[in-house]
Amino acid sequence: MKDILARKSVAAFIAIALIGTFAPALLPVSPYAFSGAPFARPVWWRSGSLSATREYDIKENETKIKWESLPPAIFSLTGEVTAKPEATVRIIWRTPEKDYLLDELNGSPRYWINQDGRDMIFKQRLGLPLISKSVDSLFPARGGYSLVIEGAERAELKLSLPGERQGLLGTDQRGRDVFTLLIYGIRTSLIIGVSATIVASLLGMAFGLAAGYIGGCCDAVIMRAVDILLSIPTLPILMVLAGIWGKGLWQLVLILSIFSWMGTARSVRALVLTVRESPWVESLRALGAGRGYILARHLVPETAPILLANIALGVPGAILSEAGLAFLGLSDPRLISWGRMLHEAHSFGAFTEGAWWLLLPPGLGIVTICLIFMDIGKFLEEKIDPRLSGK
């Protein structure tokens, strides 16, 4: 026990599992929230003078802004303005070159403002080309800008200027924080990988014990079923079952379990065949021990080391299978996983945009988890058979 706890791979797995369990509760941003502009680079990315996200609380008649970088990715103004019913409220965006009348309001004591520079109506109102970026006209050069509110008694507005740099790992095609998605993806990938492998290993142990100890027709039926399942192409069947049973978390676990138990069954059967005729098993039968007692108290502990090794080696396969299904769009779109992140990055043009920050983090996460479990599985195999260590 001390040997396996001392391995770096086990410590790394424990650290990743703890991060995936507790870190989501500490993150300030929801994985479903739009926290920035689409395809924004990480904040530490230094290329030219890409703008960072800025937000301003507008409570005065005129708010001045000093802008010394490239235009932001989005211009967004939201909030509430109150005025006398007979007054006319004018919201003006003042640039070094031109003034833009963002809105003119009258006839009501209260107005709710929700303007987005990407909106076609917004561009049409300002006389901007509909296929252009409005921020290029609203921020034509570096210098002083101001948002002026005329005729209002009170303003509670928020000016949000998401830039081309946002978050520790940037944003995805929807403006969601990639670091938040990566942390949430740990939990999903580990739940699916570990749960599917444990269920498959328990199924394989049960069928392997039955086939090896009972023998006869039971052995023949189980082994022929194993041969048939191993001969079927797995991916098309997984795709069909995902379409029939649904794309939820536990449906994926069940689907992956059904097609992952055959190797464990064969290994357990081979071990049981070598020990079922051994003298100590014969002695137990002579003393009147029943079949269930022998299986539960003696043969199951004998197969435990093989079971643990198969679990450790099976988790990477389950994680990669889930990533493959998610990459093909066969998982629940509401389910955040590393495979789903890669699927959405591919579908929404991360390759053509050069958005490496959408591809490398989930890809490296999958590789890291797989290497950790491969190392744990290799260690357990060497403990079962010291000859594999080469010593």
Side-chain angles (χ1 to χ4, degrees):
M1 188 67 178
K2 292 182 179 180
D3 293 341
I4 191 170
L5 291 178
R7 291 189 74 84
K8 294 181 180 179
S9 57
V10 176
F13 167 69
I14 294 173
I16 291 175
L18 290 175
I19 291 173
T21 303
F22 298 106
L26 304 177
L27 294 174
V29 181
S30 168
Y32 306 102
F34 303 146
S35 60
F39 294 117
R41 291 171 173 80
V43 291
W44 44 266
W45 182 260
R46 303 294 180 184
S47 178
S49 55
L50 295 176
S51 60
T53 296
R54 299 185 187 179
E55 293 184 346
Y56 301 90
D57 291 325
I58 310 298
K59 297 183 179 180
E60 301 176 356
N61 292 334
E62 182 175 2
T63 302
K64 296 184 178 181
I65 299 171
K66 187 70 173 178
W67 196 263
E68 296 294 343
S69 60
L70 295 177
I74 299 173
F75 181 95
S76 175
L77 182 66
T78 58
E80 179 184 342
V81 174
T82 58
K84 295 180 179 180
E86 66 276 6
T88 298
V89 177
R90 303 174 77 243
I91 303 176
I92 302 170
W93 176 251
R94 187 162 291 163
T95 74
E97 300 179 1
K98 183 180 179 181
D99 290 356
Y100 291 94
L101 179 62
L102 301 182
D103 216 337
E104 186 171 3
L105 310 164
N106 55 58
S108 176
R110 180 178 295 180
Y111 307 96
W112 285 269
I113 310 299
N114 186 8
Q115 296 188 351
D116 192 314
R118 297 169 294 181
D119 189 5
M120 293 296 181
I121 298 177
F122 179 90
K123 296 178 183 180
Q124 189 175 25
R125 183 188 302 127
L126 300 187
L128 304 176
L130 299 182
I131 61 173
S132 68
K133 291 184 177 180
S134 61
V135 290
D136 293 336
S137 300
L138 296 177
F139 291 85
R142 295 177 174 85
Y145 295 81
S146 60
L147 183 68
V148 181
I149 304 174
E150 298 178 349
E153 288 186 334
R154 185 174 62 89
E156 293 286 342
L157 299 176
K158 183 176 182 180
L159 177 62
S160 180
L161 303 174
E164 297 292 342
R165 292 189 289 116
Q166 171 72 35
L168 186 62
L169 292 176
T171 62
D172 67 356
Q173 71 285 344
R174 301 179 186 175
R176 299 176 300 178
D177 186 67
V178 174
F179 179 74
T180 302
L181 294 173
L182 183 71
I183 297 301
Y184 274 81
I186 294 175
R187 182 165 53 187
T188 302
S189 297
L190 285 182
I191 288 175
I192 291 177
V194 175
S195 300
T197 305
I198 289 176
V199 173
S201 298
L202 293 177
L203 285 174
M205 182 183 68
F207 286 119
L209 287 172
Y213 191 77
I214 298 174
C217 293
C218 179
D219 184 21
V221 170
I222 292 175
M223 287 301 102
R224 295 301 74 75
V226 168
D227 294 337
I228 292 172
L229 289 175
L230 288 174
S231 65
I232 297 175
T234 305
L235 184 58
I237 298 299
L238 294 179
M239 294 170 62
V240 172
L241 292 179
I244 294 174
W245 290 348
K247 304 176 181 180
L249 176 65
W250 299 112
Q251 285 94 326
L252 281 178
V253 170
L254 179 60
I255 292 170
L256 294 174
S257 302
I258 291 175
F259 288 90
S260 305
W261 60 269
M262 294 80 73
T264 303
R266 280 187 162 181
S267 300
V268 172
R269 173 181 176 271
L271 177 63
V272 173
L273 287 175
T274 61
V275 301
R276 72 176 183 179
E277 304 299 336
S278 59
W280 60 270
V281 175
E282 293 292 341
S283 300
L284 288 171
R285 292 198 193 101
L287 292 172
R291 180 181 294 172
Y293 176 85
I294 295 174
L295 287 172
R297 295 296 299 273
H298 296 280
L299 294 185
V300 169
E302 286 287 327
T303 62
I306 292 179
L307 195 66
L308 291 175
N310 284 340
I311 289 175
L313 294 173
V315 169
I319 291 176
L320 289 175
S321 296
E322 183 277 330
L325 289 174
F327 185 77
L328 294 173
L330 296 173
S331 66
D332 189 344
R334 298 167 298 177
L335 193 64
I336 299 173
S337 70
W338 292 337
R340 170 59 60 174
M341 291 175 65
L342 290 174
H343 164 70
E344 293 188 351
H346 171 71
S347 300
F348 290 93
F351 291 96
T352 56
E353 290 283 341
W356 54 266
W357 57 92
L358 297 182
L359 305 170
L360 287 182
L364 292 176
I366 293 172
V367 171
T368 300
I369 291 294
C370 290
L371 290 177
I372 286 174
F373 277 98
M374 289 295 290
D375 181 74
I376 296 173
K378 181 175 180 293
F379 172 78
L380 292 175
E381 280 192 328
E382 291 175 356
K383 285 297 182 180
I384 296 170
D385 188 355
R387 291 174 298 177
L388 296 175
S389 62
K391 297 181 181 179

